[in-house]
Amino acid sequence: MKFLAMDTVFDQCSVAVLDSNGHVLASHTETGKRQQTQQILPMIDAALSEAQLKLADITALIFNRGPGAFSGIRINTAVVQALSVAHDIPCVGVSSLQAIAQRAYQQYGLSEVYSALDARMQQVYFGHYKIENDSQMSHVVMQPVSIGASDSNEQLLDYDSQTALNLPIVGNGSILLNARSEQICHEEVWPDAVVIGQLGIAQFMILGGTDAANALPKYLRNQAWKTLKEQGKA
């Protein structure tokens, strides 16, 4: 099985082709978000060519479904949906916050973290993740931990909020929270399409994929397209 992964949420355009064990067959990343719409399709073509594959050879399309930059989420979601419909390939959406946690595990060896991504408007996207041994997983994966009484592990927190536990906080939103005494913060944790792909493969092996109609973005802030005045924040 071969997988095509992509990310345009983390202020970059990143594409990777991986096998079912998460090994990288091709990977390309361009930082910055100004040219994402022009970059992503040529980068997909280049990655497939390097891996000596065609879209017909791809088992599933894996994408960063957010939360994060509104335009970045729209770009890779739209590309995945279009390719899925055109080539009848299933899709797998991966949480940006889980990707940050996974990269922190790879980068620093952390087994339990809070992920925090700057959401602007005086808030951060926030989630809790930890390593859980699972015999169904082919490699170690950070898994979501429900926050409080909620079944969800993704939420918006105001700047200067304090976490419930003294766990490391990772991601560029970490320095925007009110860290506890001796609480570790790692701001420079940036996943690429390889990390997105590895998480998506682990998810696909257990749950399978979905069709294009159900390959949906996760914004958390559903009125992000409105002005601050229209949202009642100004």
Side-chain angles (χ1 to χ4, degrees):
M1 292 186 286
K2 303 294 187 294
F3 298 85
L4 174 62
M6 64 193 75
D7 169 59
T8 56
V9 178
F10 291 119
D11 290 350
Q12 65 185 359
C13 192
S14 185
V15 174
V17 180
L18 306 94
D19 66 17
S20 57
N21 293 314
H23 297 147
V24 180
L25 305 179
S27 175
H28 299 275
T29 298
E30 296 288 342
T31 57
K33 58 184 179 180
R34 293 184 181 276
Q35 303 297 321
Q36 288 171 321
T37 53
Q38 289 79 24
Q39 290 173 328
I40 188 164
L41 291 178
M43 288 177 67
I44 288 172
D45 287 340
L48 289 171
S49 178
E50 182 179 331
Q52 299 183 345
L53 297 170
K54 303 184 296 295
L55 277 168
D57 301 316
I58 297 300
T59 304
L61 302 164
I62 302 170
F63 69 106
N64 185 342
R65 51 88 167 153
F70 184 74
S71 59
I73 294 173
R74 285 193 304 175
I75 291 167
N76 66 187
T77 301
V79 170
V80 161
Q81 289 174 335
L83 294 178
S84 174
V85 170
H87 299 275
D88 193 26
I89 307 173
C91 309
V92 180
V94 170
S95 164
S96 60
L97 295 174
Q98 185 182 16
I100 292 171
Q102 184 72 11
R103 181 60 186 142
Y105 165 73
Q106 296 172 351
Q107 194 169 339
Y108 299 107
L110 300 172
S111 60
E112 186 172 7
V113 300
Y114 290 120
S115 283
L117 180 64
D118 188 4
R120 313 298 181 186
M121 301 182 189
Q122 303 297 306
Q123 291 181 313
V124 299
Y125 300 115
F126 183 82
H128 181 186
Y129 298 86
K130 67 183 295 187
I131 295 295
E132 293 183 1
N133 294 325
D134 191 328
S135 59
Q136 298 183 75
M137 297 290 188
S138 59
H139 52 276
V140 178
V141 172
M142 280 282 200
Q143 298 287 9
V145 177
S146 294
I147 297 174
S150 171
D151 290 333
S152 173
N153 81 304
E154 296 176 330
Q155 62 181 8
L156 281 162
L157 285 186
D158 292 335
Y159 285 0
D160 295 324
S161 296
Q162 193 169 70
T163 61
L165 302 174
N166 193 13
L167 296 173
I169 314 174
V170 298
N172 73 341
S174 61
I175 60 171
L176 302 172
L177 298 175
N178 182 13
R180 294 172 174 271
S181 176
E182 300 182 0
Q183 190 169 20
I184 297 170
C185 294
H186 290 294
E187 180 185 5
E188 296 298 324
V189 179
W190 293 107
D192 59 8
V194 172
V195 178
I196 299 293
Q198 290 168 342
L199 288 172
I201 291 167
Q203 182 176 320
F204 180 83
M205 293 302 183
I206 296 174
L207 301 174
T210 186
D211 59 17
N214 291 297
L216 301 176
K218 183 71 171 288
Y219 294 116
L220 288 188
R221 184 186 287 132
N222 292 324
Q223 295 183 329
W225 53 274
K226 290 187 176 181
T227 66
L228 289 176
K229 184 176 181 180
E230 288 171 327
Q231 295 179 54
K233 292 180 180 287

